[in-house]
Amino acid sequence: MEPALPVTTKKTLCRICTANCPILVDVDATGRPIAARGDKDNPHSEGFFCLKGKHYPEIHTADSRLHHSLARGADGALAPIEAERAMDEVAARLGAILDEHGRESVAVYMGTLFYQLPQTASVATAWMDALRLRLRFSSGTIDQPGKQTAAAAHGHWLAGNYVFDESDTWMLIGTNPLIAISGGIPHANPARRLKRAQARGLQLIVIDPRRTETAKHAAIHLQPRPGTDPAIVAGLIREIIRADLVDAEFVRDHVDGFETLRDAVDPYTPEYVAARADVDPEALVRAAHVFARAKKGAATAGTGANMSGWSNVTEYLVLCLNTICGHYRRAGDRVANPGVLTTRRSFPAQAMAPYPVDGFGKPLVSRPDLPPAVCGLPTSALADEILHPESTIKALVTIGGNPMRAWPDPKRTRRALEALDLHVCVEPRLTDTARLADYVLAPKLPLETPGCSLSTENLFTVSPALGYTERYGQYAPAVAAPPEGADLREDWQYFYGLAKRMGLALEVGAGVFPIMGCRTPRSALDMQNEPTSDEILDLVTKDSWIPLDRLRKDPSQVLFEDEPDVFVAPADPESRARLDVGSALMLDELRDFAAGDRFARPGFDYRLVSRRMSNTFNSMGTDIEALTSRYGTNPAFLHPEDLRALGLARGDLVKLRSPHGELEAVAWPDPDLRRGLVSMCHCWGTDPEAESDVRKTGANTGLLISVEEDCARFSGIPLMSAIPVDVARA
Ligand SMILES: Nc1nc2c(c(=O)[nH]1)N[C@H]1C(S)=C(S)[C@@H](COP(=O)(O)OP(=O)(O)OC[C@H]3O[C@@H](n4cnc5c(=O)[nH]c(N)nc54)[C@H](O)[C@@H]3O)O[C@H]1N2
Ligand SMILES: Nc1nc2c(c(=O)[nH]1)N[C@H]1C(S)=C(S)[C@@H](COP(=O)(O)OP(=O)(O)OC[C@H]3O[C@@H](n4cnc5c(=O)[nH]c(N)nc54)[C@H](O)[C@@H]3O)O[C@H]1N2
Ligand code: SF4
Ligand SMILES: [Mo]
């Protein structure tokens, strides 16, 4: 018997999802990661992690992982290619396309992993900037794009919101943080944090058509018809105004448009909301009172509230709800977490005025109705844009995303990807998307690269309920070696390598997401001598609250509560900026909503609602048996009574048909659902043109989504939840 190799245990952070859980990874003498678990000594997470994190090493060592980049040969097949040669060829081909067709000939798609890796986000963005690429698309516009449009129409409160850990109430609308661990409740051990908060009196309000893992802990759970969030939030606002619970002083000093808002929500009486959303009118009134009477708290919406047709107005009303209750930090308040790795800034108790929602350049040729908006170009239109006869797009670069699984309408996506002259994917697996690419640039994976918690910390800019609620930061060096014999680069090195070959000078900015009201430093990269990954991290954390080097030198220090406290500063007396709760642009949408259920279609009597499953992250993990064994697939969950009425039992195959498309799925009972719903997770399935066994591959709910009808203004987010469907035995 061979002697067992010695194993060392290393501290690092999981980078599958935004929780960025601190984990311990066992690594053998060859550098191969073999096991992972939560770091019980980490005072922030207290050992919290999930099954995906447990199998993080396997994601690094799975047979399905690419050890080499791939290029499509003359025979049409993908074959291994040396990384340097791949960069030579990609640079030459992109350069030729740009020379011939101009900068609108190359589009980029940035998926979830793009933002999770600060080096990738910063250097790839620097490369796009240097090429002045305009056609940048991201998963953001098929996620929660109403957050950006609403914030633009409303303005920002520069002192920020109260955080969960200090709040007396918390409202979650279409988000399930105990499973998605995606913010709303702090990422680090959300169940324990919720329990502690409730022990000190926090009142949790959840609005979700499913009695979710989170809703089960709520003081008040409204379980509405999906797609009715505008009615509910308008109803809450109306009741708060009626009961005289508005923070009148805050509104007087800092808010415009109050009368407009009051008039717009006036029709949303408890009786009307009860009829439209099918909720208990008394529970609605109670929720309004609990929320408005609390000293500190916030409301936040998630994907369910953004995917069900009313992304802009729902997010806008959520901001208005927080604002009329004055649920913001005031001068003199301690800022719970000013920051660790983000740029230093001040927190004045003043508004930043609203700014334009749209009008950022010319629309896509395929969607003249969607002028480019603050949320970015509409990803739902990218396939059509590529396929349009007047399309300028010849090449697409996909980074850390999986369009074939994630974009709505995978059949159209497939046609579009095949129509490209050049498709380059930076991707560690041979995904359905990578299989269609001309080049797959294979990256090192996060355990093989240094990393830090910057991306997650920086999320506070996206929504008040995201980011860390305490002064927490973590750095980790590379802890594992790439597989033996592999020829890989870090993601960012591919963009640096392309830039060098294309004669570009790169300049990286600090941070991953822009911080409102704060200029972040920019630094030129040395284009002669390639920087190290750690040097890139230094630049993206330049001028941070705590120098990254301090985290590097003492990895055991992750909480920085001993740093001097930061307090909210008084407003600049010169500032005249006010928040706007009466935006015509947003409230027009409430009038559209009032006109009736515009998404209903006769003959499609069920509604398919979005959800996440705990053991997979979008398309990641759907190919790892240990993560899929619970259901084997992404089942179509239905209420047991609905199953019975349909003559179906657990495990039977059902056919779901929307006005746009159809799929087969495995039926599964879920007593926590409202009747009349099908709840199903996305990013499963396989090549829609190939035969497959749905019990093994699952089904892609994108097949039911139309990218032509029912797309929201500005972002073009299609109806991705509350989709009318017909359900029948397959
Ligand atoms: N029907 C329906 N569709 C949806 C949704 C829904 O609810 N319903 N949800 C939407 C949402 S919210 C989102 S965010 C999108 C997700 O959209 P995408 O981001 O496009 O999808 P992911 O599966 O997250 O893609 C991440 C990819 O990154 C790869 N990856 C992993 N590690 C690394 C790495 O270190 N470097 C690089 N370069 N790549 C890596 C993974 O293998 C994976 O292929 O899907 C959207 N689509
Ligand atoms: N385990 C796991 N974690 C993930 C992901 C994953 O795939 N798996 N994906 C990550 C990504 S990309 C994102 S964006 C986040 C998303 O994080 P969340 O937004 O929290 O996503 P979900 O857990 O799907 O929660 C959405 C909830 O909305 C409800 N819902 C559906 N339609 C409606 C509606 O019309 N109105 C209301 N009020 N509710 C509705 C659903 O029942 C569901 O409980 O999660 C991230 N975290
Ligand atoms: S919650 Fe997210 S970051 Fe934490 S272990 Fe699971 S996948 Fe990794
Ligand atoms: Mo997402």
Side-chain angles (χ1 to χ4, degrees), residues 112 139-140 142-144 182 303 307 612 617-618 682:
T112 44
S139 51
I142 46 172
D143 187 333
Q144 298 159 68
S182 163
T303 49
M307 292 181 173
R612 264 121 193 94
F617 179 85
N618 300 335
H682 61 294

Side-chain angles (χ1 to χ4, degrees), residues 422-434:
L422 176 67
H423 182 197
V424 181
C425 268
V426 186
E427 170 60 57
R429 302 180 293 142
L430 197 55
T431 58
D432 301 340
T433 303

Side-chain angles (χ1 to χ4, degrees), residues 404-645:
M404 282 298 296
R405 293 283 183 94
W407 293 1
D409 196 343
K411 290 187 176 171
R412 193 175 306 224
T413 302
R414 191 184 204 288
R415 286 203 302 279
L417 296 181
E418 290 195 305
L420 291 163
D421 290 354
L422 176 67
H423 182 197
V424 181
C425 268
V426 186
E427 170 60 57
R429 302 180 293 142
L430 197 55
T431 58
D432 301 340
T433 303
R435 280 178 210 281
L436 299 173
D438 299 295
Y439 289 88
V440 187
L441 303 178
K444 291 187 184 175
L445 283 177
L447 291 178
E448 299 149 10
T449 71
C452 71
S453 50
L454 172 68
S455 296
T456 299
E457 178 181 327
N458 208 169
L459 276 175
F460 68 85
T461 58
V462 179
S463 160
L466 304 185
Y468 295 119
T469 53
E470 53 193 0
R471 282 195 114 168
Y472 174 76
Q474 191 188 3
Y475 163 84
V479 297
E484 211 186 320
D487 174 25
L488 307 169
R489 300 290 181 278
E490 294 191 27
D491 285 313
W492 68 269
Q493 288 179 299
Y494 285 117
F495 293 92
Y496 181 88
L498 291 178
K500 224 172 145 161
R501 287 165 174 82
M502 297 170 95
L504 306 171
L506 299 185
E507 191 186 84
V508 301
V512 172
F513 305 102
I515 302 175
M516 284 302 154
C518 171
R519 278 176 92 87
T520 43
R522 305 190 60 81
S523 326
L525 287 191
D526 183 340
M527 297 306 295
Q528 296 311 313
N529 307 300
E530 183 170 309
T532 64
S533 196
D534 269 302
E535 282 164 351
I536 304 287
L537 282 180
D538 286 331
L539 298 181
V540 297
T541 56
K542 196 172 168 189
D543 294 351
S544 61
W545 288 91
I546 314 279
L548 184 64
D549 231 16
R550 244 180 88 188
L551 280 67
R552 241 185 224 123
K553 285 188 179 127
D554 182 5
S556 67
Q557 195 187 0
V558 291
L559 281 178
F560 296 87
E561 302 294 353
D562 299 344
E563 289 294 304
D565 277 336
V566 173
F567 296 94
V568 173
D572 171 358
E574 300 291 297
S575 169
R576 295 282 165 270
R578 292 167 74 83
L579 303 172
D580 184 9
V581 296
S583 161
L585 207 56
M586 295 287 134
L587 294 176
D588 270 359
E589 223 168 274
L590 189 60
R591 264 176 286 276
D592 293 349
F593 173 84
D597 185 355
R598 71 142 92 144
F599 306 119
R601 297 289 187 277
F604 299 90
D605 297 335
Y606 280 77
R607 291 293 175 111
L608 180 120
V609 285
S610 62
R611 67 170 295 150
R612 264 121 193 94
M613 297 201 314
S614 58
N615 297 341
T616 49
F617 179 85
N618 300 335
S619 69
M620 281 171 72
T622 56
D623 53 356
I624 292 190
E625 211 184 308
L627 296 177
T628 61
S629 58
R630 181 159 173 204
Y631 301 108
T633 180
N634 60 332
F637 293 97
L638 286 121
H639 192 279
E641 294 293 327
D642 283 336
L643 279 185
R644 211 164 301 142

